[in-house]
Amino acid sequence: MDMSDVTDFLHTAARSVGAEVTSPWFYLQLGLILAATGIAFASDAAIRSRIDTTSLAMGWPAPLRLLVRVLIGSVSTAVFAIVIIAARVTMYHATWPSRSYLLIVAAKLALAWLAIRLVTSVIRNAFIVRLVSLSAWLVAALSIINQLDPTIDALDSVSIVLGGLRLTPLLLIKLGVLLAVALWLSNIASNFAESRITRSSDLTPSIQVLLVKMIRLALMIFAVAMVMSAVGINLSALAIFSGAAGVGIGFGLQKIVANFISGIILLADKSVKPGDLVTIGDSSGRISAMKTRYISVAAGDGREFLIPNEDLVTQKVTNWTYTDKNTLVKVNFGTNYEADPRLVCKLAIGIAAASPRAFKDKPPNCILTEFAEAGMKFSLTFWISDPDGMDNVKSDVMLSLWETFKREGIRVPYPVREIRVRGGALPVETIEVSG
């Protein structure tokens, strides 16, 4: 079909519409359609105010509950179709069938929309529902008014040729709709595979994430290839774009590719995995998710650090739970010289051993590390079975040390400065005395 055919088609359609509009029966049908629309909206409001879908379908099987919700949600369309069909039957028997043509078209359009709503009710993605519903209804509408084939020919008549690839509006519409549906189906399949993989106790968390990512990528590539083949696009025709794509990856997408490859390396070597407690630079927390481009580290205070995968490969990473979750906790403190260091160590070891989080198989240890200017310095070490909440454990132990030292009369040293001002122009002398 060339442009002259398209013009003739438009002229013919315009003449048909003009002849229909000038008929008095057209306005009668239009009035009936408007009246049916008012009745449909009034019925919808009345039914919705009197029916509670939750209590009505309680205890029913899930498919029936879904069907009830869809029917009640589309009650206006159903009432409109019933009223129009009744008006069509009445006019069909009272006058010529051609004088109620507009009514049968409206009824078919309403029934088509109702059927589409029932079919798409099983789809959970709202965008896919809207896309499929509108596309299917437009196709149904064109088919009902016998304009589907002319429209297809008109959309296929305009084309642009790029490197042996003929692009038409019809091809782009098919490609968009089929690609959306194929990617939706691949997402469902990958979610099903992910649920199966995550329930497997034989696979480590890192291997699970790696398998899920590989399956998702493979299904997406397969879906795109199948759609392009279905619409008649030869993949070899896209070879002209490979050079530009390679240059784009080399310059603009090098960081994305580096993060993607780094993510695969991290998953393969198992250096980090979901649930590990890590420190990367100034960021510390537990790994909550590993994505294609980054990992998410939950700090425990509501913040989440999104760290590129490349940083984990090229920078120093402290993994507190890489091979063993047992963590050594170190508490540094000091006392004055009047205290007995052996008693201090004994008291500190007892406090650490009494901590609920302390590892019982490895006893605590306390050593005297330095005779400092202000007093003696000690280091108390003990093990806990999990590094999570380590700061809270240290705080509890230090509070217990403070209470015990206060009860035993052991003082914690702190600097005391005494300022003596001599008369005349002599300078001010500062003497530091330990407390």
Side-chain angles (χ1 to χ4, degrees):
M1 178 183 288
D2 53 14
M3 293 303 298
S4 61
D5 295 331
V6 175
T7 304
D8 293 339
F9 165 72
L10 295 176
H11 287 166
T12 303
R15 286 194 297 269
S16 299
V17 172
E20 186 71 25
V21 170
T22 57
S23 172
W25 296 102
F26 171 81
Y27 296 99
L28 175 61
Q29 296 176 80
L30 185 60
L32 291 174
I33 291 174
L34 293 176
T37 303
I39 295 173
F41 280 111
S43 302
D44 180 76
I47 292 175
R48 285 178 180 271
S49 62
R50 289 174 172 79
I51 295 179
D52 184 7
T53 57
T54 303
S55 59
L56 177 64
M58 184 176 297
W60 292 11
L64 289 180
R65 292 199 304 269
L66 179 61
L67 178 62
V68 169
R69 284 198 297 268
V70 174
L71 289 176
I72 293 178
S74 305
V75 67
S76 59
T77 305
V79 171
F80 175 83
I82 293 173
V83 174
I84 291 296
I85 291 174
R88 156 69 177 177
V89 171
T90 302
M91 288 190 65
Y92 182 84
H93 292 286
T95 183
W96 296 102
S98 60
R99 294 176 178 175
S100 58
Y101 172 75
L102 191 60
L103 293 179
I104 192 61
V105 170
K108 288 182 178 180
L109 291 175
L111 291 175
W113 180 255
L114 186 61
I116 291 170
R117 285 288 295 121
L118 292 174
V119 173
T120 56
S121 63
V122 298
I123 303 176
R124 293 291 180 267
N125 190 303
F127 173 75
I128 298 296
V129 169
R130 288 193 293 269
L131 178 64
V132 173
S133 299
L134 290 176
S135 302
W137 190 79
L138 286 175
V139 172
L142 292 173
S143 179
I144 289 170
I145 62 176
N146 299 320
Q147 297 298 321
L148 181 60
D149 291 337
T151 303
I152 292 175
D153 294 337
L155 293 175
D156 195 47
S157 63
V158 181
S159 63
I160 299 176
V161 179
L162 295 176
L165 179 63
R166 183 174 179 270
L167 296 177
T168 64
L170 179 63
L171 179 65
L172 295 178
I173 293 173
K174 288 182 178 179
L175 182 62
V177 173
L178 291 178
L179 190 60
V181 174
L183 291 178
W184 172 67
L185 293 175
S186 68
N187 186 54
I188 292 178
S190 59
N191 288 337
F192 175 77
E194 181 179 2
S195 65
R196 295 288 183 177
I197 291 173
T198 51
R199 284 201 297 264
S200 176
S201 58
D202 298 332
L203 301 175
T204 62
S206 57
I207 295 298
Q208 290 177 358
V209 175
L210 178 60
L211 287 176
V212 169
K213 291 184 182 300
M214 293 179 64
I215 290 174
R216 285 187 182 277
L217 181 61
L219 287 176
M220 288 180 61
I221 294 175
F222 177 75
V224 172
M226 289 294 294
V227 168
M228 296 183 72
S229 177
V231 298
I233 296 178
N234 189 359
L235 296 180
S236 61
L238 301 177
I240 188 174
F241 302 106
S242 60
V247 173
I249 291 175
F251 288 97
L253 304 178
Q254 56 181 343
K255 285 293 184 183
I256 297 177
V257 174
N259 285 317
F260 178 75
I261 300 299
S262 299
I264 294 178
I265 293 174
L266 292 173
L267 293 171
D269 64 13
K270 306 177 187 179
S271 56
V272 293
K273 57 186 179 296
D276 281 353
L277 187 64
V278 296
T279 299
I280 306 168
D282 297 332
S283 305
S284 296
R286 192 172 294 276
I287 298 178
S288 58
M290 298 183 69
K291 302 295 184 180
T292 304
R293 187 180 62 85
Y294 62 87
I295 69 166
S296 176
V297 178
D301 56 359
R303 297 178 299 167
E304 287 203 27
F305 301 104
L306 305 181
I307 302 175
N309 291 328
E310 186 182 11
D311 292 350
L312 276 79
V313 176
T314 59
Q315 295 183 12
K316 179 182 177 181
V317 178
T318 302
N319 190 341
W320 296 85
T321 56
Y322 179 54
T323 56
D324 191 359
K325 288 187 177 182
N326 295 333
T327 304
L328 182 66
V329 180
K330 182 181 292 187
V331 178
N332 296 319
F333 63 95
T335 65
N336 59 7
Y337 282 107
E338 298 177 358
D340 182 359
R342 298 184 184 276
L343 177 60
V344 171
C345 290
K346 181 180 179 181
L347 293 174
I349 291 174
I351 291 172
S355 175
R357 294 280 305 276
F359 203 58
K360 306 304 179 183
D361 294 340
K362 296 181 179 180
N365 187 33
C366 182
I367 60 174
L368 176 63
T369 59
E370 184 181 356
F371 291 113
E373 181 179 359
M376 297 179 290
K377 292 185 178 182
F378 296 85
S379 177
L380 172 64
T381 56
F382 59 96
W383 290 87
I384 58 177
S385 58
D386 193 334
D388 195 16
M390 183 171 57
D391 291 338
N392 293 332
V393 177
K394 290 178 65 175
S395 175
D396 292 340
V397 170
M398 293 176 71
L399 289 173
S400 298
L401 283 172
W402 172 261
E403 294 171 353
T404 302
F405 288 170
K406 192 173 182 181
R407 185 175 61 250
E408 297 292 334
I410 300 174
R411 292 192 300 166
V412 177
Y414 56 90
V416 177
R417 288 174 174 83
E418 182 180 306
I419 301 176
R420 297 180 182 178
V421 181
R422 298 178 179 178
L426 293 177
V428 177
E429 178 182 353
T430 302
I431 299 177
E432 188 173 302
V433 180
S434 62

